[in-house]
mmCIF file with all atom_site columns, all heavy atoms in Angstrom:
data_model
loop_
_atom_site.group_PDB
_atom_site.id
_atom_site.type_symbol
_atom_site.label_atom_id
_atom_site.label_alt_id
_atom_site.label_comp_id
_atom_site.label_asym_id
_atom_site.label_entity_id
_atom_site.label_seq_id
_atom_site.pdbx_PDB_ins_code
_atom_site.Cartn_x
_atom_site.Cartn_y
_atom_site.Cartn_z
_atom_site.occupancy
_atom_site.B_iso_or_equiv
_atom_site.pdbx_formal_charge
_atom_site.auth_seq_id
_atom_site.auth_comp_id
_atom_site.auth_asym_id
_atom_site.auth_atom_id
_atom_site.pdbx_PDB_model_num
ATOM 1   N N   . ALA A 1 74 ? -11.728 20.071 -10.898 1.00 96.00 ? 719 ALA A N   1
ATOM 2   C CA  . ALA A 1 74 ? -10.577 19.972 -11.755 1.00 96.00 ? 719 ALA A CA  1
ATOM 3   C C   . ALA A 1 74 ? -10.323 18.419 -12.015 1.00 96.00 ? 719 ALA A C   1
ATOM 4   O O   . ALA A 1 74 ? -9.911  18.095 -13.175 1.00 96.00 ? 719 ALA A O   1
ATOM 5   C CB  . ALA A 1 74 ? -9.311  20.579 -11.156 1.00 96.00 ? 719 ALA A CB  1
ATOM 6   N N   . PHE A 1 75 ? -10.476 17.630 -11.016 1.00 97.00 ? 720 PHE A N   1
ATOM 7   C CA  . PHE A 1 75 ? -10.343 16.246 -11.239 1.00 97.00 ? 720 PHE A CA  1
ATOM 8   C C   . PHE A 1 75 ? -11.239 15.620 -12.296 1.00 97.00 ? 720 PHE A C   1
ATOM 9   O O   . PHE A 1 75 ? -10.739 14.801 -13.100 1.00 97.00 ? 720 PHE A O   1
ATOM 10  C CB  . PHE A 1 75 ? -10.511 15.546 -9.845  1.00 97.00 ? 720 PHE A CB  1
ATOM 11  C CG  . PHE A 1 75 ? -10.644 14.037 -9.928  1.00 97.00 ? 720 PHE A CG  1
ATOM 12  C CD1 . PHE A 1 75 ? -9.510  13.153 -9.982  1.00 97.00 ? 720 PHE A CD1 1
ATOM 13  C CD2 . PHE A 1 75 ? -11.874 13.353 -9.828  1.00 97.00 ? 720 PHE A CD2 1
ATOM 14  C CE1 . PHE A 1 75 ? -9.558  11.866 -10.189 1.00 97.00 ? 720 PHE A CE1 1
ATOM 15  C CE2 . PHE A 1 75 ? -11.881 11.982 -9.873  1.00 97.00 ? 720 PHE A CE2 1
ATOM 16  C CZ  . PHE A 1 75 ? -10.762 11.192 -10.021 1.00 97.00 ? 720 PHE A CZ  1
ATOM 17  N N   . PHE A 1 76 ? -12.446 16.088 -12.284 1.00 97.00 ? 721 PHE A N   1
ATOM 18  C CA  . PHE A 1 76 ? -13.381 15.656 -13.342 1.00 97.00 ? 721 PHE A CA  1
ATOM 19  C C   . PHE A 1 76 ? -13.019 15.960 -14.663 1.00 97.00 ? 721 PHE A C   1
ATOM 20  O O   . PHE A 1 76 ? -13.364 15.302 -15.626 1.00 97.00 ? 721 PHE A O   1
ATOM 21  C CB  . PHE A 1 76 ? -14.749 16.209 -12.947 1.00 97.00 ? 721 PHE A CB  1
ATOM 22  C CG  . PHE A 1 76 ? -15.350 15.620 -11.694 1.00 97.00 ? 721 PHE A CG  1
ATOM 23  C CD1 . PHE A 1 76 ? -16.207 16.395 -10.895 1.00 97.00 ? 721 PHE A CD1 1
ATOM 24  C CD2 . PHE A 1 76 ? -15.257 14.304 -11.298 1.00 97.00 ? 721 PHE A CD2 1
ATOM 25  C CE1 . PHE A 1 76 ? -16.747 15.975 -9.894  1.00 97.00 ? 721 PHE A CE1 1
ATOM 26  C CE2 . PHE A 1 76 ? -15.795 13.852 -10.184 1.00 97.00 ? 721 PHE A CE2 1
ATOM 27  C CZ  . PHE A 1 76 ? -16.594 14.703 -9.337  1.00 97.00 ? 721 PHE A CZ  1
ATOM 28  N N   . ALA A 1 77 ? -12.179 16.960 -14.833 1.00 96.00 ? 722 ALA A N   1
ATOM 29  C CA  . ALA A 1 77 ? -11.728 17.440 -16.205 1.00 96.00 ? 722 ALA A CA  1
ATOM 30  C C   . ALA A 1 77 ? -10.706 16.385 -16.817 1.00 96.00 ? 722 ALA A C   1
ATOM 31  O O   . ALA A 1 77 ? -10.618 16.268 -18.002 1.00 96.00 ? 722 ALA A O   1
ATOM 32  C CB  . ALA A 1 77 ? -11.063 18.849 -16.094 1.00 96.00 ? 722 ALA A CB  1
ATOM 33  N N   . VAL A 1 78 ? -10.021 15.676 -15.909 1.00 98.00 ? 723 VAL A N   1
ATOM 34  C CA  . VAL A 1 78 ? -8.988  14.718 -16.409 1.00 98.00 ? 723 VAL A CA  1
ATOM 35  C C   . VAL A 1 78 ? -9.442  13.336 -16.239 1.00 98.00 ? 723 VAL A C   1
ATOM 36  O O   . VAL A 1 78 ? -8.915  12.339 -16.741 1.00 98.00 ? 723 VAL A O   1
ATOM 37  C CB  . VAL A 1 78 ? -7.665  14.891 -15.726 1.00 98.00 ? 723 VAL A CB  1
ATOM 38  C CG1 . VAL A 1 78 ? -7.132  16.233 -16.097 1.00 98.00 ? 723 VAL A CG1 1
ATOM 39  C CG2 . VAL A 1 78 ? -7.749  14.760 -14.278 1.00 98.00 ? 723 VAL A CG2 1
ATOM 40  N N   . ASN A 1 79 ? -10.434 13.024 -15.379 1.00 98.00 ? 724 ASN A N   1
ATOM 41  C CA  . ASN A 1 79 ? -10.964 11.736 -15.018 1.00 98.00 ? 724 ASN A CA  1
ATOM 42  C C   . ASN A 1 79 ? -12.389 11.658 -15.328 1.00 98.00 ? 724 ASN A C   1
ATOM 43  O O   . ASN A 1 79 ? -13.188 12.286 -14.578 1.00 98.00 ? 724 ASN A O   1
ATOM 44  C CB  . ASN A 1 79 ? -10.690 11.244 -13.588 1.00 98.00 ? 724 ASN A CB  1
ATOM 45  C CG  . ASN A 1 79 ? -11.120 9.881  -13.258 1.00 98.00 ? 724 ASN A CG  1
ATOM 46  O OD1 . ASN A 1 79 ? -12.214 9.433  -13.457 1.00 98.00 ? 724 ASN A OD1 1
ATOM 47  N ND2 . ASN A 1 79 ? -10.143 9.035  -12.856 1.00 98.00 ? 724 ASN A ND2 1
ATOM 48  N N   . ARG A 1 80 ? -12.815 10.831 -16.322 1.00 96.00 ? 725 ARG A N   1
ATOM 49  C CA  . ARG A 1 80 ? -14.219 10.905 -16.872 1.00 96.00 ? 725 ARG A CA  1
ATOM 50  C C   . ARG A 1 80 ? -15.154 9.853  -16.183 1.00 96.00 ? 725 ARG A C   1
ATOM 51  O O   . ARG A 1 80 ? -16.308 9.716  -16.509 1.00 96.00 ? 725 ARG A O   1
ATOM 52  C CB  . ARG A 1 80 ? -14.266 10.801 -18.370 1.00 96.00 ? 725 ARG A CB  1
ATOM 53  C CG  . ARG A 1 80 ? -13.346 11.759 -19.199 1.00 96.00 ? 725 ARG A CG  1
ATOM 54  C CD  . ARG A 1 80 ? -13.958 13.132 -19.004 1.00 96.00 ? 725 ARG A CD  1
ATOM 55  N NE  . ARG A 1 80 ? -13.220 14.044 -19.785 1.00 96.00 ? 725 ARG A NE  1
ATOM 56  C CZ  . ARG A 1 80 ? -13.574 15.311 -19.906 1.00 96.00 ? 725 ARG A CZ  1
ATOM 57  N NH1 . ARG A 1 80 ? -14.680 15.818 -19.360 1.00 96.00 ? 725 ARG A NH1 1
ATOM 58  N NH2 . ARG A 1 80 ? -12.846 16.107 -20.638 1.00 96.00 ? 725 ARG A NH2 1
ATOM 59  N N   . THR A 1 81 ? -14.520 8.970  -15.351 1.00 97.00 ? 726 THR A N   1
ATOM 60  C CA  . THR A 1 81 ? -15.355 7.787  -14.974 1.00 97.00 ? 726 THR A CA  1
ATOM 61  C C   . THR A 1 81 ? -15.434 7.579  -13.542 1.00 97.00 ? 726 THR A C   1
ATOM 62  O O   . THR A 1 81 ? -16.385 6.983  -13.073 1.00 97.00 ? 726 THR A O   1
ATOM 63  C CB  . THR A 1 81 ? -14.748 6.544  -15.680 1.00 97.00 ? 726 THR A CB  1
ATOM 64  O OG1 . THR A 1 81 ? -13.374 6.366  -15.205 1.00 97.00 ? 726 THR A OG1 1
ATOM 65  C CG2 . THR A 1 81 ? -14.836 6.599  -17.133 1.00 97.00 ? 726 THR A CG2 1
ATOM 66  N N   . ALA A 1 82 ? -14.477 7.881  -12.742 1.00 98.00 ? 727 ALA A N   1
ATOM 67  C CA  . ALA A 1 82 ? -14.376 7.496  -11.364 1.00 98.00 ? 727 ALA A CA  1
ATOM 68  C C   . ALA A 1 82 ? -15.570 8.171  -10.547 1.00 98.00 ? 727 ALA A C   1
ATOM 69  O O   . ALA A 1 82 ? -15.695 9.360  -10.602 1.00 98.00 ? 727 ALA A O   1
ATOM 70  C CB  . ALA A 1 82 ? -13.054 7.920  -10.653 1.00 98.00 ? 727 ALA A CB  1
ATOM 71  N N   . PRO A 1 83 ? -16.339 7.329  -9.822  1.00 98.00 ? 728 PRO A N   1
ATOM 72  C CA  . PRO A 1 83 ? -17.359 7.976  -8.974  1.00 98.00 ? 728 PRO A CA  1
ATOM 73  C C   . PRO A 1 83 ? -16.719 8.515  -7.723  1.00 98.00 ? 728 PRO A C   1
ATOM 74  O O   . PRO A 1 83 ? -15.655 8.058  -7.298  1.00 98.00 ? 728 PRO A O   1
ATOM 75  C CB  . PRO A 1 83 ? -18.274 6.745  -8.700  1.00 98.00 ? 728 PRO A CB  1
ATOM 76  C CG  . PRO A 1 83 ? -17.424 5.455  -8.684  1.00 98.00 ? 728 PRO A CG  1
ATOM 77  C CD  . PRO A 1 83 ? -16.412 5.828  -9.813  1.00 98.00 ? 728 PRO A CD  1
ATOM 78  N N   . VAL A 1 84 ? -17.399 9.413  -7.057  1.00 98.00 ? 729 VAL A N   1
ATOM 79  C CA  . VAL A 1 84 ? -17.054 9.990  -5.818  1.00 98.00 ? 729 VAL A CA  1
ATOM 80  C C   . VAL A 1 84 ? -18.005 9.593  -4.674  1.00 98.00 ? 729 VAL A C   1
ATOM 81  O O   . VAL A 1 84 ? -19.127 9.938  -4.716  1.00 98.00 ? 729 VAL A O   1
ATOM 82  C CB  . VAL A 1 84 ? -16.823 11.558 -5.828  1.00 98.00 ? 729 VAL A CB  1
ATOM 83  C CG1 . VAL A 1 84 ? -16.356 12.009 -4.471  1.00 98.00 ? 729 VAL A CG1 1
ATOM 84  C CG2 . VAL A 1 84 ? -15.842 11.963 -6.886  1.00 98.00 ? 729 VAL A CG2 1
ATOM 85  N N   . TYR A 1 85 ? -17.490 8.736  -3.711  1.00 98.00 ? 730 TYR A N   1
ATOM 86  C CA  . TYR A 1 85 ? -18.440 8.343  -2.713  1.00 98.00 ? 730 TYR A CA  1
ATOM 87  C C   . TYR A 1 85 ? -18.364 9.316  -1.509  1.00 98.00 ? 730 TYR A C   1
ATOM 88  O O   . TYR A 1 85 ? -17.320 9.596  -1.011  1.00 98.00 ? 730 TYR A O   1
ATOM 89  C CB  . TYR A 1 85 ? -17.987 6.834  -2.215  1.00 98.00 ? 730 TYR A CB  1
ATOM 90  C CG  . TYR A 1 85 ? -18.080 5.849  -3.318  1.00 98.00 ? 730 TYR A CG  1
ATOM 91  C CD1 . TYR A 1 85 ? -17.034 5.716  -4.242  1.00 98.00 ? 730 TYR A CD1 1
ATOM 92  C CD2 . TYR A 1 85 ? -19.247 5.089  -3.461  1.00 98.00 ? 730 TYR A CD2 1
ATOM 93  C CE1 . TYR A 1 85 ? -17.162 4.713  -5.243  1.00 98.00 ? 730 TYR A CE1 1
ATOM 94  C CE2 . TYR A 1 85 ? -19.382 4.194  -4.383  1.00 98.00 ? 730 TYR A CE2 1
ATOM 95  C CZ  . TYR A 1 85 ? -18.349 3.970  -5.304  1.00 98.00 ? 730 TYR A CZ  1
ATOM 96  O OH  . TYR A 1 85 ? -18.481 3.056  -6.331  1.00 98.00 ? 730 TYR A OH  1
ATOM 97  N N   . ALA A 1 86 ? -19.490 9.701  -1.193  1.00 97.00 ? 731 ALA A N   1
ATOM 98  C CA  . ALA A 1 86 ? -19.698 10.658 -0.128  1.00 97.00 ? 731 ALA A CA  1
ATOM 99  C C   . ALA A 1 86 ? -20.939 10.447 0.645   1.00 97.00 ? 731 ALA A C   1
ATOM 100 O O   . ALA A 1 86 ? -21.892 9.754  0.139   1.00 97.00 ? 731 ALA A O   1
ATOM 101 C CB  . ALA A 1 86 ? -19.740 12.138 -0.550  1.00 97.00 ? 731 ALA A CB  1
ATOM 102 N N   . ARG A 1 87 ? -21.106 10.952 1.823   1.00 96.00 ? 732 ARG A N   1
ATOM 103 C CA  . ARG A 1 87 ? -22.404 10.738 2.626   1.00 96.00 ? 732 ARG A CA  1
ATOM 104 C C   . ARG A 1 87 ? -23.301 11.855 2.190   1.00 96.00 ? 732 ARG A C   1
ATOM 105 O O   . ARG A 1 87 ? -23.053 12.921 1.583   1.00 96.00 ? 732 ARG A O   1
ATOM 106 C CB  . ARG A 1 87 ? -22.006 11.090 4.135   1.00 96.00 ? 732 ARG A CB  1
ATOM 107 C CG  . ARG A 1 87 ? -21.172 9.925  4.663   1.00 96.00 ? 732 ARG A CG  1
ATOM 108 C CD  . ARG A 1 87 ? -20.913 10.144 6.204   1.00 96.00 ? 732 ARG A CD  1
ATOM 109 N NE  . ARG A 1 87 ? -22.154 9.884  7.017   1.00 96.00 ? 732 ARG A NE  1
ATOM 110 C CZ  . ARG A 1 87 ? -22.202 10.052 8.301   1.00 96.00 ? 732 ARG A CZ  1
ATOM 111 N NH1 . ARG A 1 87 ? -21.192 10.591 8.982   1.00 96.00 ? 732 ARG A NH1 1
ATOM 112 N NH2 . ARG A 1 87 ? -23.324 9.874  8.959   1.00 96.00 ? 732 ARG A NH2 1
ATOM 113 N N   . PRO A 1 88 ? -24.642 11.499 2.238   1.00 95.00 ? 733 PRO A N   1
ATOM 114 C CA  . PRO A 1 88 ? -25.667 12.321 1.638   1.00 95.00 ? 733 PRO A CA  1
ATOM 115 C C   . PRO A 1 88 ? -25.772 13.774 2.273   1.00 95.00 ? 733 PRO A C   1
ATOM 116 O O   . PRO A 1 88 ? -26.083 14.741 1.557   1.00 95.00 ? 733 PRO A O   1
ATOM 117 C CB  . PRO A 1 88 ? -26.952 11.487 1.908   1.00 95.00 ? 733 PRO A CB  1
ATOM 118 C CG  . PRO A 1 88 ? -26.646 10.513 2.982   1.00 95.00 ? 733 PRO A CG  1
ATOM 119 C CD  . PRO A 1 88 ? -25.238 10.211 2.728   1.00 95.00 ? 733 PRO A CD  1
#
Side-chain angles (χ1 to χ4, degrees):
F720 171 73
F721 293 143
V723 298
N724 185 301
R725 306 290 184 177
T726 57
V729 179
Y730 295 87
R732 295 181 70 183

